[in-house]
Amino acid sequence: MGSAISMRSKVATALIALSLAAAGCSGGTSDTSASSHASDAGRGGAIQPEGTGDFAGLVDIGGGRTIFIECAGTGSPTVVLIAGKGNGANDGWGEVLDPADPVRQAPDDQVALGKGDLQRSDTAVFASVAKFTRVCAYSRPGTGLDDPETSTPVPQPHRVGNAFSDLHAVLGAAGESGPYVLVGHSYGGLIVRLFASMYPHDVSGLVMEDVVSEFETETTTPEEFTNWDELNSTTDGTTEAVELIDAMDEIRAAPAMPDAPAVVLSSDKPPNRQAIEAQSKEFGALPTFAAWLAAHDLLAKSLHAKHITDTNSGHNIEVYQPQLVTDAIRTIVDEAR
């Protein structure tokens, strides 16, 4: 597996990522995310939400910083969507790959290369989950850079401990109380891991969608993991970048995960071979797709989780198969209730 910036970026070298968001949206379907219904009063400054009603905007988390968050729907537990590296609240969770798009028939992950017709849709994960419970998505610093409102920048690369602390802060500032079902995609899985360990009483369930986990260090060689860390910590100074070796150290020092219902989903379309070869020439040997899947097996066993492997999807299962992800979330919400 490699790394890349958000697929919203126009940089042509975006390849396989720890997280890959949806590319620029194309038309047709209506935008049903909370941001499409946000009042103009929230634009241009921090809002003061009360944890009820649909809203989207920048929330003051203290220290002169704001984070963008959008929430919709009613019910408990609240589902929190935690995107992968480089992706904001409006990437992936609000979009779907056109069911008729020919890239679905490709043997490898073409969406990760920026291909495919991605559309806003009321069948996307965010809108679908909002129909049966409360749901929130947020933009970490260095993500959602093409959106009208962006979270206050921080130095990049960053520590995963800072990312999970920001998540806790923005949920509190937004008045969104637990318990939470945490849904992590890719790098978001590491944030889920630390949040659940540090705030176990706030977590009632987990959905891990093609995530990075501490088990990567067991299924890859030290050289591969070091190269992967270098690749994912590379940044232009603005775009989100992550420190994987440091993240593993933080996880090893954290308390054990809580005993909560969980589902693990894995992609079954491998990364594009030419893309990985290009990254390997620059950074050296990288973790293989087989190692990626093996780490998911270990993660599922450790969580006593159902492991869904027949997904007919690349890395971004939420855009390839939004109903599959939504169904997994609904299962965990029902168990938590």
Side-chain angles (χ1 to χ4, degrees), residues 92-171:
W93 303 121
E95 298 167 318
V96 302
L97 177 63
D98 186 339
D101 197 300
V103 304
R104 288 185 175 276
Q105 308 307 317
D108 57 7
D109 187 359
Q110 293 292 301
V111 171
L113 299 177
K115 299 181 180 180
D117 183 10
L118 298 169
Q119 305 176 344
R120 305 298 294 188
S121 173
D122 60 5
T123 64
V125 171
F126 186 96
S128 296
V129 173
K131 295 172 184 175
F132 60 84
T133 196
R134 186 77 169 162
V135 60
C136 297
Y138 74 112
S139 297
R140 294 186 300 273
T143 72
L145 299 180
D146 293 336
D147 294 335
E149 295 176 300
T150 57
S151 301
T152 306
V154 300
Q156 300 290 349
H158 69 272
R159 302 182 66 193
V160 68
N162 295 340
F164 102 81
S165 295
D166 281 354
L167 174 57
H168 188 259
V170 72
L171 289 172

Side-chain angles (χ1 to χ4, degrees), residues 287-318:
T288 65
F289 188 54
W292 176 257
L293 298 180
H296 290 171
D297 285 336
L298 294 175
L299 174 64
K301 291 176 182 177
S302 74
L303 296 175
H304 307 290
K306 180 180 180 180
H307 189 187
I308 301 173
T309 58
D310 184 11
T311 55
N312 192 26
S313 173
H315 185 49
N316 290 79
I317 305 173
E318 78 279 8

Side-chain angles (χ1 to χ4, degrees), residues 90-308:
N90 293 316
D91 297 322
W93 303 121
E95 298 167 318
V96 302
L97 177 63
D98 186 339
D101 197 300
V103 304
R104 288 185 175 276
Q105 308 307 317
D108 57 7
D109 187 359
Q110 293 292 301
V111 171
L113 299 177
K115 299 181 180 180
D117 183 10
L118 298 169
Q119 305 176 344
R120 305 298 294 188
S121 173
D122 60 5
T123 64
V125 171
F126 186 96
S128 296
V129 173
K131 295 172 184 175
F132 60 84
T133 196
R134 186 77 169 162
V135 60
C136 297
Y138 74 112
S139 297
R140 294 186 300 273
T143 72
L145 299 180
D146 293 336
D147 294 335
E149 295 176 300
T150 57
S151 301
T152 306
V154 300
Q156 300 290 349
H158 69 272
R159 302 182 66 193
V160 68
N162 295 340
F164 102 81
S165 295
D166 281 354
L167 174 57
H168 188 259
V170 72
L171 289 172
E176 297 293 337
S177 59
Y180 309 113
V181 169
L182 302 179
V183 182
H185 174 237
S186 196
Y187 165 60
L190 297 179
I191 299 172
V192 169
R193 172 67 173 84
L194 278 182
F195 191 105
S197 294
M198 302 306 293
Y199 301 102
H201 299 298
D202 288 339
V203 176
S204 59
L206 308 170
V207 177
M208 306 293 255
E209 181 206 336
D210 218 41
V211 296
V212 185
S213 76
E214 65 269 33
F215 296 103
E216 308 293 339
T217 58
E218 297 184 27
T219 62
T220 64
T221 68
E223 177 189 5
E224 289 170 342
F225 196 83
T226 298
N227 294 341
W228 202 33
D229 173 71
E230 181 182 357
L231 174 58
N232 283 284
S233 62
T234 300
T235 178
D236 58 9
T238 302
T239 304
E240 183 180 52
V242 302
E243 299 176 350
L244 292 180
I245 292 177
D246 180 77
M248 298 305 159
D249 290 340
E250 290 192 73
I251 287 172
R252 278 191 287 268
M257 289 277 276
D259 185 14
V263 172
V264 175
L265 299 99
S266 296
S267 59
D268 52 12
K269 288 181 181 287
N272 178 267
R273 182 170 58 84
Q274 288 81 9
I276 294 298
E277 288 176 353
Q279 290 182 323
S280 296
K281 286 182 180 179
E282 181 176 359
F283 293 95
L286 296 169
T288 65
F289 188 54
W292 176 257
L293 298 180
H296 290 171
D297 285 336
L298 294 175
L299 174 64
K301 291 176 182 177
S302 74
L303 296 175
H304 307 290
K306 180 180 180 180
H307 189 187
I308 301 173

Side-chain angles (χ1 to χ4, degrees), residues 38-49 55-61 64-69 148-152:
S39 69
D40 291 336
R43 299 296 172 183
I47 61 176
Q48 294 182 329
F55 74 88
L58 296 170
V59 173
D60 188 344
I61 65 166
R65 294 178 56 207
T66 59
I67 287 183
F68 179 85
I69 184 171
E149 295 176 300
T150 57
S151 301
T152 306

